[in-house]
Amino acid sequence: MITGIVPIGGFGTRLGMTFSKEMLPQRNYKYYNPVSNHLVSKMIDAGAKKIIFIHGDELKSDVTSFFTNDNFIHICQKKSGFANVLVEFLDYTHTTKNDILFFGMPDTIFENNPFIEMASIKGVVAGTFITDDESKVDRLEKNMKNFKVKSKMEGMLLNRFWGVLKFDGKNLIDAYEQNLFEKYTEVGDIVNSLGFKIVDGSKYIDLGTWNNYNRYLSHGYY
């Protein structure tokens, strides 16, 4: 089975809002369609049957109120650390080696649907996108075999970063058995340790700041 996992533990402090950043409205819709539904819809279109939202210490009521049907599952993260989102998924789903997991960030918008191609490739697959700014992201090194986690553009780094990921169940089980979740707190380090293939994505924008969200609204990104 294909399942999507959406981490929503952040509080959106950079935006200073009274509601969850995942619920900012998308542009060009005549009805309310939050940005998180962009990622969710891509996952479902690529074959995901369930979407699991991993909240922080408590459930975000505005997210649970929007994503309500039986395809959506909401759980809280019991142990801190970004990589532990994957542990919560394993603990909740009892994943088998033949399952597939899609992973992405809910406050992003990206063109096309790389999940469709990623689902057809065995092993860990990183959907990579180009960034032209100096934000800290998990950037590909020039050897194309590793990501340098939360890094600015410098030295041996490319302007490509992972924006979405696909794992087979076997990959996550192997990571758990190798204690990688104890060793690393970042998903990029887990991906490096397991090894990965690459699918090139197109345009991508992180809406986690007002500057980027306003760019998205004014310049017509996707």
Side-chain angles (χ1 to χ4, degrees):
M1 186 171 78
I2 301 178
T3 304
I5 182 170
V6 182
I8 59 170
F11 293 103
T13 52
R14 291 181 297 174
L15 299 175
M17 301 187 308
T18 58
F19 59 93
S20 303
K21 64 179 180 178
E22 295 84 9
M23 304 309 288
L24 283 166
Q26 290 187 63
R27 70 185 300 276
N28 290 339
Y29 285 89
K30 294 181 179 179
Y31 57 91
Y32 176 56
N33 191 10
V35 295
S36 50
N37 201 35
H38 175 87
L39 171 70
V40 169
S41 296
K42 301 264 189 182
M43 290 177 168
I44 292 172
D45 287 346
K49 303 300 182 185
K50 296 283 185 183
I51 305 294
I52 300 180
F53 293 89
I54 310 291
H55 298 244
D57 294 335
E58 57 185 37
L59 298 180
K60 295 183 176 182
S61 59
D62 49 359
V63 179
T64 60
S65 295
F66 186 87
F67 296 99
T68 58
N69 72 38
D70 292 341
N71 294 329
F72 304 124
I73 299 167
H74 299 271
I75 62 176
C76 290
Q77 186 172 347
K78 295 186 287 292
K79 188 175 180 180
S80 62
F82 190 33
N84 278 315
V85 170
L86 298 173
V87 177
E88 298 294 342
F89 170 82
L90 278 173
D91 288 346
Y92 185 84
T93 61
H94 305 292
T95 298
T96 70
K97 292 184 177 181
N98 294 323
D99 289 333
I100 290 174
L101 167 68
F102 293 149
F103 183 96
M105 304 307 295
D107 55 350
T108 60
I109 299 286
F110 49 93
E111 199 172 37
N112 303 322
N113 191 348
F115 286 122
I116 294 173
E117 182 180 356
M118 293 163 74
S120 68
I121 302 172
K122 288 188 177 295
V124 181
V125 185
T128 65
F129 301 86
I130 291 174
T131 178
D132 295 323
D133 62 32
E134 282 297 309
S135 59
K136 289 186 177 180
V137 293
D138 293 359
R139 293 177 186 269
L140 267 176
E141 297 183 6
K142 289 188 177 180
N143 62 16
M144 305 286 283
K145 296 180 179 179
N146 292 284
F147 290 99
K148 188 169 182 182
V149 176
K150 290 186 175 179
S151 299
K152 292 185 177 182
M153 185 71 178
E154 59 183 23
M156 298 299 291
L157 302 181
L158 300 176
N159 64 348
R160 281 202 164 268
F161 67 100
W162 74 256
V164 293
L165 297 168
K166 170 261 177 184
F167 300 89
D168 292 337
K170 181 181 184 303
N171 304 136
L172 298 186
I173 293 169
D174 287 347
Y176 191 85
E177 291 177 348
Q178 294 169 25
N179 295 318
L180 296 183
F181 298 114
E182 296 295 328
K183 185 176 181 180
Y184 300 115
T185 60
E186 295 294 335
V187 174
D189 288 321
I190 303 293
V191 171
N192 285 339
S193 295
L194 293 172
F196 58 89
K197 303 176 183 70
I198 293 172
V199 166
D200 287 334
S202 186
K203 297 177 181 177
Y204 179 106
I205 187 167
D206 177 354
L207 304 182
T209 65
W210 281 122
N211 182 52
N212 277 0
Y213 185 66
N214 287 330
R215 284 175 58 212
Y216 161 69
L217 292 180
S218 61
H219 296 297
Y221 285 87
Y222 338 129

